[in-house]
């Protein structure tokens, strides 16, 4: 049964602090704010939830319709030539939605089939999902099906076309109502928030956040059940299906059943990605995907590079992983990928994540290969993974001997491959990587980007660069434009003020009285803790 409690919001806050608010974008400092003020923000969340939940259905919907749910749509690369939209949600509303997501996941998990491998609820800890369940374990599970040993067996691989963007809110609302007790307003709240994030449209989930993953699995649960009821042997990971059939005729019938079932929920299969393989060819294909038999990459593919900095055993984990790389020649693997017309995205992701475990000179050599303008264009599908890896090296004082070399590589990017900085998500990763030190090239780039970008999220990242450098002229200029800044830019400038001594202190004193109004969320009472007061307290507690 779906019951929402304060602890769901608290756990969501801690999970955001650990994993970030959106996995397609760089880790945002406000995720740390959400984590550090988890208890206070969870209290605000539960007060809002109880307020709405106590209202009649029509009144609850009207109340939610009056609220402003801040969000910005950003362009994110998808593969070498494709793009998709991700949603940067206001930190409070992201927390609120994820808190509801925690409760929804708990209620829906008992209904899910073991053949659904994606985003399974974690059995313990503060995280939402079970880290041991992955695309790899999904594919490994398909290989264990006894049907594969039959002579005429075939395997269908297919996926849903435009999955997230085609999820219909009202069908989802009905499924959430089925999970909830009578007179619950959870479904209404989720529906109205999604509607606002979709700019008034009745379909589409925001890409990148945890709650969207939960909601997608809620929609897929009855579809999964229908396949099982039809006696189809299937496995699924998000929108990828593997159907294991006894014959070509059986495969055709299974695909027909799946297509009809999806149509009931407004979804359809991607015809260009639907393939039918014999059992033997499927086994060979999956062996290649998993790196089996490929001695050059198998060690890297199998290595778990997750390193939890908040774990009590974090240092032991780090040392263990670093030791593992003594047996892996990362530069050799990178050189192999460089020669491919389409580099392996998974191997590139692992290489990016591996940078922080290398010795400084080795890391610098790898960065030189990754950030070479010719190579970087070839590796464009892995831009975020590469820049995350470079950032991890540049942020670690142990790599100080190679900082200047890495900075030079980064400074060449805006002039050598400017087209790669057009998507907002790419630009955000780049701005995060250059904020450690100001150079003449960076000063010009950040100023130009701030003055010409239409994205308040990108402009906010520029302010973050000025905060780190610190750049007093830029702070003074923006202080004079305070009223014209978006709330997210104002919050970053407020944080930056701590780096500008007496000038910053005076600016805060002059502006403090306006924050409750300009950062108000639209439902908070006149007395008690608010999002704005929590943010101010957090800045002061962290000595900013």
């Amino acid at each position: 049964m779906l019951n929402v409690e304060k602890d769901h919001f608290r756990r969501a806050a801690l999970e955001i602090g650990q994993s970030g608010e959106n996995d397609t974008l760089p880790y945002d400092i406000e995720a740390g704010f959400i984590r550090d003020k988890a208890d206070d923000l969870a209290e605000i969340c539960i007060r809002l939830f109880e307020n709405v939940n106590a209202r009649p259905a029509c009144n609850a919907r009207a109340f939610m319709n009056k609220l402003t749910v801040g969000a910005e749509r950003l362009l994110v690369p998808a593969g070498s030539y494709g793009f998709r939209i991700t949603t940067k949600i206001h930190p409070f509303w992201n927390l609120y939605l994820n808190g509801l997501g925690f409760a929804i996941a708990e209620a829906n998990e008992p209904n899910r089939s073991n053949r659904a491998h994606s985003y399974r609820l974690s059995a313990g800890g503060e995280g939402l999902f079970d880290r041991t369940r992955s695309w790899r374990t999904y594919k490994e599970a398909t290989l264990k099906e006894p049907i594969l040993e039959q002579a005429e067996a075939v395997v269908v691989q297919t996926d849903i076309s435009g999955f997230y963007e085609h999820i219909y809110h009202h069908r989802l609302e009905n499924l959430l109502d089925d999970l909830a007790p009578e007179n619950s307003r959870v479904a209404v709240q989720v529906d109205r928030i999604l509607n606002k994030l979709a700019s008034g449209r009745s379909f589409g989930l925001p890409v990148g956040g945890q709650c969207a993953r939960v909601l997608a699995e809620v929609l897929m649960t009855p579809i999964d059940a229908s396949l099982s009821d039809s006696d189809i042997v299937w496995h699924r990971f998000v929108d990828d299906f593997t159907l294991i059939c006894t014959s070509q005729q059986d495969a055709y019938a299974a695909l027909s059943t799946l297509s009809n079932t999806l149509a009931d929920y407004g979804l359809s299969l991607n015809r260009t990605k639907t393939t039918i393989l014999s059992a033997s060819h499927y086994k060979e294909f999956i062996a290649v995907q998993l790196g089996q038999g490929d001695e050059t990459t198998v060690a890297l593919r199998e290595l778990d590079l997750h390193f939890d900095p908040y774990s009590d055993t974090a240092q032991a984990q780090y040392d263990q992983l670093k030791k593992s790389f003594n047996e892996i020649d990362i530069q050799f693997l990178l050189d192999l990928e460089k020669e491919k017309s389409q580099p392996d995205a998974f191997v590139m992701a692992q290489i990016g994540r591996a940078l922080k475990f290398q010795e400084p000179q080795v890391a610098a050599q790898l960065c030189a290969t990754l950030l070479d303008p010719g190579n970087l264009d070839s590796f464009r599908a892995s831009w975020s993974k590469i820049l995350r890896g470079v950032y991890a090296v540049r942020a670690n004082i142990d790599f100080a001997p190679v900082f200047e070399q890495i900075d030079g590589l980064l400074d060449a990017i805006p002039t050598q491959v400017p087209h790669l900085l057009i998507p907002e998500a790419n630009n955000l990763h780049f701005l995060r990587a250059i904020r450690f030190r100001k150079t003449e090239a960076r000063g010009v780039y950040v100023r130009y980007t701030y003055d010409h970008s239409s994205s308040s999220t990108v402009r906010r990242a520029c302010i973050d660069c000025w905060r780190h450098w610190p750049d007093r002229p830029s702070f003074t200029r923006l202080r004079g434009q305070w009223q014209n800044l978006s709330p997210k830019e104002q919050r970053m400038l407020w944080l930056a003020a701590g780096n500008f001594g007496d000038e910053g202190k005076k600016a805060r004193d002059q502006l403090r009285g306006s924050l409750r109004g300009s950062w108000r969320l639209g439902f908070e009472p006149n007395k008690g803790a608010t999002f704005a007061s929590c943010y101010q307290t957090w800045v002061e507690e962290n000595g900013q």
Side-chain angles (χ1 to χ4, degrees):
M1 186 65 72
L2 175 52
N3 292 303
V4 179
E5 300 175 353
K6 178 180 176 180
D7 192 57
H8 290 123
F9 296 110
R10 184 191 67 81
R11 290 170 58 199
L14 297 177
E15 199 274 339
I16 288 170
Q18 178 171 305
S19 304
E21 61 184 26
N22 184 314
D23 64 6
T24 66
L25 303 176
Y27 185 91
D28 194 307
I29 192 172
E30 288 190 346
F33 154 61
I34 296 295
R35 176 195 64 227
D36 294 343
K37 304 302 289 183
D39 288 335
D40 293 335
L41 292 170
E43 180 62 31
I44 297 174
C45 288
I46 195 63
R47 288 205 310 261
L48 171 62
F49 175 79
E50 291 174 346
N51 179 350
V52 180
N53 207 49
R55 297 168 180 261
C58 60
N59 187 277
R61 186 174 294 272
F63 178 85
M64 294 297 297
N65 283 338
K66 293 178 182 178
L67 299 179
T68 298
V69 179
E72 182 178 358
R73 289 155 54 91
L74 304 172
L75 191 66
V76 179
S80 296
Y81 296 103
F83 297 91
R84 62 178 177 170
I85 296 297
T86 191
T87 307
K88 172 80 169 173
I89 307 174
H90 184 287
F92 173 83
W93 289 110
N94 186 64
L95 169 60
Y96 191 76
L97 197 55
N98 279 12
L100 297 179
F102 262 81
I104 293 167
E106 287 181 355
N108 189 54
E109 188 65 22
N111 302 328
R112 300 185 65 192
S113 167
N114 288 331
R115 295 182 178 276
H117 301 269
S118 47
Y119 304 119
R120 302 308 302 237
L121 187 67
S122 174
E126 297 295 348
L128 177 54
F129 300 125
D130 183 353
R131 290 184 180 273
T132 67
R133 304 294 292 270
S134 64
W135 182 88
R136 185 183 187 90
T137 60
Y138 150 62
K139 282 301 182 183
E140 289 173 341
T142 66
L143 296 176
K144 297 176 183 178
E145 289 293 348
I147 295 177
L148 289 177
E149 304 307 317
Q150 298 183 19
E152 301 298 320
V154 297
V155 179
V156 179
Q157 294 188 115
T158 188
D159 69 13
I160 300 172
S161 178
F163 180 40
Y164 270 34
E165 54 262 42
H166 289 131
I167 290 179
Y168 188 42
H169 296 167
H170 297 312
R171 289 190 178 88
L172 193 55
E173 185 178 11
N174 292 335
L175 293 172
L176 292 177
D177 269 331
D178 290 342
L179 292 174
E182 189 177 359
N183 296 323
S184 169
R185 305 294 173 245
V186 172
V188 169
Q189 294 190 52
V190 171
D191 176 71
R192 292 297 86 200
I193 293 173
L194 292 180
N195 183 263
K196 290 175 180 293
L197 295 177
S199 302
R201 294 184 295 271
S202 296
F203 52 87
L205 296 182
V207 172
Q210 300 291 54
C211 188
R213 297 183 171 98
V214 171
L215 296 176
E217 294 300 327
V218 168
L219 184 79
M220 293 306 297
T221 298
I223 295 173
D224 294 342
S226 180
L227 294 181
S228 294
D229 290 344
S230 300
D231 200 27
I232 294 172
V233 178
W234 62 275
H235 291 269
R236 180 179 63 79
F237 192 88
V238 192
D239 60 344
D240 289 333
F241 278 96
T242 301
L243 311 179
I244 302 174
C245 310
T246 58
S247 65
Q248 289 280 354
Q249 294 84 352
D250 184 27
Y252 189 83
L255 265 175
S256 299
T257 299
L258 175 58
S259 297
N260 269 319
T261 304
L262 290 173
D264 291 339
Y265 293 84
L267 303 172
S268 61
L269 291 177
N270 190 332
R271 288 177 292 178
T272 62
K273 292 186 178 181
T274 300
T275 61
I276 299 180
L277 300 173
S278 68
S280 59
H281 285 166
Y282 176 75
K283 291 176 184 179
E284 293 171 0
F285 178 73
I286 298 304
V288 172
Q289 283 191 308
L290 300 180
Q292 297 169 0
D294 181 0
E295 297 300 328
T296 60
T297 63
V298 65
L300 189 63
R301 288 175 182 274
E302 292 181 349
L303 191 60
D304 180 7
L305 295 183
H306 171 66
F307 169 56
D308 182 358
Y310 302 103
S311 168
D312 292 336
T313 60
Q315 190 58 44
Q317 293 175 18
Y318 182 90
D319 291 342
Q320 175 88 27
L321 288 170
K322 190 169 184 178
K323 184 179 179 181
S324 300
F325 282 106
N326 292 335
E327 301 176 2
I328 302 176
D329 188 340
I330 302 296
Q331 183 65 55
F332 174 70
L333 298 180
L334 180 55
D335 289 340
L336 290 179
E337 295 303 317
K338 187 173 65 173
E339 299 303 318
K340 295 179 180 178
S341 59
Q342 289 189 330
D344 187 309
F346 182 74
V347 171
M348 291 301 301
Q350 293 290 72
I351 290 173
R353 297 167 71 195
L355 290 177
K356 63 185 176 184
F357 298 104
Q358 309 302 306
E359 294 302 319
Q361 293 302 326
V362 175
Q365 182 181 351
L366 290 168
C367 287
T369 303
L370 289 166
L371 298 179
D372 175 86
N375 295 339
L376 195 53
D377 192 58
S378 299
F379 295 153
R380 60 188 176 274
S382 300
W383 172 277
S384 64
K385 307 298 189 302
I386 292 171
L387 268 290
R388 286 183 201 271
V390 172
Y391 171 84
V393 170
R394 192 56 183 81
N396 189 337
I397 193 62
D398 293 340
F399 293 88
V402 299
F403 280 174
E404 186 171 351
Q405 180 180 349
I406 293 174
D407 286 345
L409 295 167
L410 289 168
D411 283 353
I413 288 176
T415 55
Q416 297 294 318
V417 284
H419 60 288
L420 297 182
L421 296 173
I422 293 175
E424 290 90 354
N426 280 5
N427 210 349
L428 291 172
H429 283 288
F430 179 70
L431 289 167
R432 186 172 184 243
I434 67 171
R435 70 185 187 185
F436 297 102
R437 171 174 169 250
K438 183 180 181 180
T439 65
E440 183 176 351
R442 293 178 188 187
V444 171
Y445 178 77
V446 173
R447 175 64 180 267
Y448 180 87
T449 299
Y450 183 87
D451 289 345
H452 291 84
S453 176
S454 60
S455 166
S456 60
T457 299
V458 171
R459 293 197 300 271
R460 180 176 173 273
C462 293
I463 299 173
D464 195 30
C465 287
W466 293 327
R467 175 176 78 94
H468 275 84
W469 286 346
D471 188 316
R472 187 177 294 275
S474 295
F475 172 78
T476 303
R477 181 172 77 106
L478 291 187
R479 166 63 187 91
Q481 300 174 12
W482 175 267
Q483 298 301 327
N484 298 324
L485 304 182
S486 68
K488 66 176 67 172
E489 293 174 73
Q490 289 180 350
R491 292 197 301 273
M492 183 57 77
L493 191 63
W494 183 268
L495 183 63
N499 290 3
F500 296 98
D502 187 60
E503 183 181 0
K505 181 178 181 301
K506 287 181 178 178
R508 284 180 179 172
D509 290 341
Q510 293 167 354
L511 298 170
R512 194 179 307 274
S514 68
L515 300 186
R516 190 179 184 95
S518 60
W519 296 353
R520 190 175 179 82
L521 299 179
F523 65 84
E524 298 162 303
N526 292 326
K527 294 183 179 180
T530 63
F531 175 82
S533 68
C534 286
Y535 189 83
Q536 292 175 73
T537 302
W538 173 72
V539 170
E540 294 166 0
E541 289 174 349
N542 283 273
Q544 296 286 343

